[in-house]
Amino acid sequence: MPENLTTLPVHVGIIMDGNGRWAKQRGLPRTMGHKEGLTAAKRIVAAAAKIGIKYVTLYTFSTENWKRAQEEVGYLMNLIRGHLRAEFEFYKENQIKVRWLGDPVGLPDDVLKEIRQAEADTAHFDGLTVVLAINYGGRNEIVRGVKKLIDQGKTADEITEEQISRSFDIAELPDVDLLIRTGGELRLSNFLLWHAAYAEFLFTDTLWPDYNETEFMKDLEVFQNRNRRFGAIQNQ
C-alpha cells in the first residue's frame, strides 16, 4: 500500500462513464471508446489488486443499455465475451477472482456461458474479487431478491434487511464503501442501490478511457479523509 494511504475501502464500485464521448471527441466510432474503456478497466483493476483492495464492482452493462443502437449493443456483447476468454492470464497473474451480478434473462447464451466459465476458472484465486455487473440494474436485483424470498415461503413478518441482502446475486458481497463515477454525470443510474446506502461518492469529469492509476490513488486519498458516521453523531 502507498505510504499516503492508511485506510482502504473494502469495496469500490465504479460507474465507467464517458467511453462514447471520448471516442466522439477524437472522431472515432463509439465502439472504439468501449475498447479503450476496457484498457482503462484493466489498469484500475490491476492497481486495486496491487494495493490490497478486496472488491471492485464494475458497471459493465446495465439493464437499460439494451436501448442503445443494435450495433453498439452487439459490439459490447462481443467485447464482454472476448475479454472473459482472453484475460485468464491477467486474472491468474494478479490472483483476481471474477464474479457476476446481473439478470440471466435476456443475456445471450454464449455470453452467459463465458461469464460462468470465468467464475469457475478463477474461483480458487484469493486476491481481489472483480464483480462484473452485466445486464444489471439495482432495482432489478432487489425485485429478483424479494421474489426469491417469496418463493422460499417467507412471510412479511419474517423478511429482514439481512435476508434481503443475502437474497441478492452475491450474498456475501459487502456494502460499497467508495463509489466512483467518471464522465461528469452526477447520478447513480440504477447501480448498486441497496449496497451503496452509505457509500462515499466521488464524481470526476475525467472520461473513463482517460482515468488512470494516479487519479484512482487521489480518489482513495479523498476517501480516507471522509468522516463516515453511518447516521450517527460525530464522536458519539
Side-chain angles (χ1 to χ4, degrees), residues 169-227:
D169 295 335
I170 303 176
E172 71 275 17
L173 186 66
D175 284 348
V176 176
D177 298 301
L178 170 62
L179 194 150
I180 299 169
R181 179 167 188 153
T182 63
E185 302 291 356
L186 306 177
R187 55 179 176 266
L188 273 177
S189 296
N190 202 17
F191 180 54
L192 294 175
L193 299 181
W194 182 281
H195 304 79
Y198 280 100
E200 298 295 323
F201 290 0
L202 278 172
F203 299 98
T204 174
D205 290 333
T206 303
L207 302 178
W208 177 246
D210 291 329
Y211 191 76
N212 57 33
E213 300 94 325
T214 300
E215 186 166 359
F216 183 50
M217 295 303 159
K218 289 180 179 178
D219 286 346
L220 294 177
E221 285 187 55
V222 171
F223 167 80
Q224 74 174 3
N225 290 317
R226 293 280 180 92
N227 180 17

Side-chain angles (χ1 to χ4, degrees), residues 138-182:
R139 289 179 175 180
N140 174 280
E141 183 181 31
I142 292 169
V143 169
R144 288 188 290 110
V146 171
K147 285 182 176 179
K148 288 179 187 176
L149 296 177
I150 293 172
D151 289 343
Q152 293 168 10
K154 301 292 185 184
T155 66
D157 290 339
E158 293 174 317
I159 293 176
T160 63
E161 285 190 16
E162 182 180 2
Q163 286 179 336
I164 292 175
S165 293
R166 295 197 63 80
S167 73
F168 292 154
D169 295 335
I170 303 176
E172 71 275 17
L173 186 66
D175 284 348
V176 176
D177 298 301
L178 170 62
L179 194 150
I180 299 169
R181 179 167 188 153
T182 63

Side-chain angles (χ1 to χ4, degrees), residues 63-208:
T63 49
E64 289 74 38
N65 285 157
W66 298 106
K67 301 173 185 177
R68 296 187 178 186
Q70 186 175 354
E71 179 185 359
E72 183 175 354
V73 170
Y75 182 86
L76 285 167
M77 288 296 111
N78 286 331
L79 195 64
I80 291 168
R81 185 190 302 108
H83 167 70
L84 290 169
R85 183 175 303 188
E87 297 299 340
F88 177 76
E89 289 303 319
F90 172 74
Y91 303 141
K92 182 179 179 181
E93 178 184 352
N94 293 281
Q95 286 293 292
I96 292 170
K97 180 184 296 185
V98 176
R99 297 296 307 275
W100 169 53
L101 284 178
D103 191 344
V105 176
L107 267 181
D109 289 342
D110 56 351
V111 173
L112 187 56
K113 179 180 178 181
E114 292 294 339
I115 291 171
R116 295 301 193 195
Q117 190 63 54
E119 287 188 302
D121 289 344
T122 62
H124 60 290
F125 296 154
D126 59 2
L128 169 69
T129 296
V130 171
V131 181
L132 301 177
I134 301 172
N135 199 29
Y136 177 82
R139 289 179 175 180
N140 174 280
E141 183 181 31
I142 292 169
V143 169
R144 288 188 290 110
V146 171
K147 285 182 176 179
K148 288 179 187 176
L149 296 177
I150 293 172
D151 289 343
Q152 293 168 10
K154 301 292 185 184
T155 66
D157 290 339
E158 293 174 317
I159 293 176
T160 63
E161 285 190 16
E162 182 180 2
Q163 286 179 336
I164 292 175
S165 293
R166 295 197 63 80
S167 73
F168 292 154
D169 295 335
I170 303 176
E172 71 275 17
L173 186 66
D175 284 348
V176 176
D177 298 301
L178 170 62
L179 194 150
I180 299 169
R181 179 167 188 153
T182 63
E185 302 291 356
L186 306 177
R187 55 179 176 266
L188 273 177
S189 296
N190 202 17
F191 180 54
L192 294 175
L193 299 181
W194 182 281
H195 304 79
Y198 280 100
E200 298 295 323
F201 290 0
L202 278 172
F203 299 98
T204 174
D205 290 333
T206 303
L207 302 178
W208 177 246

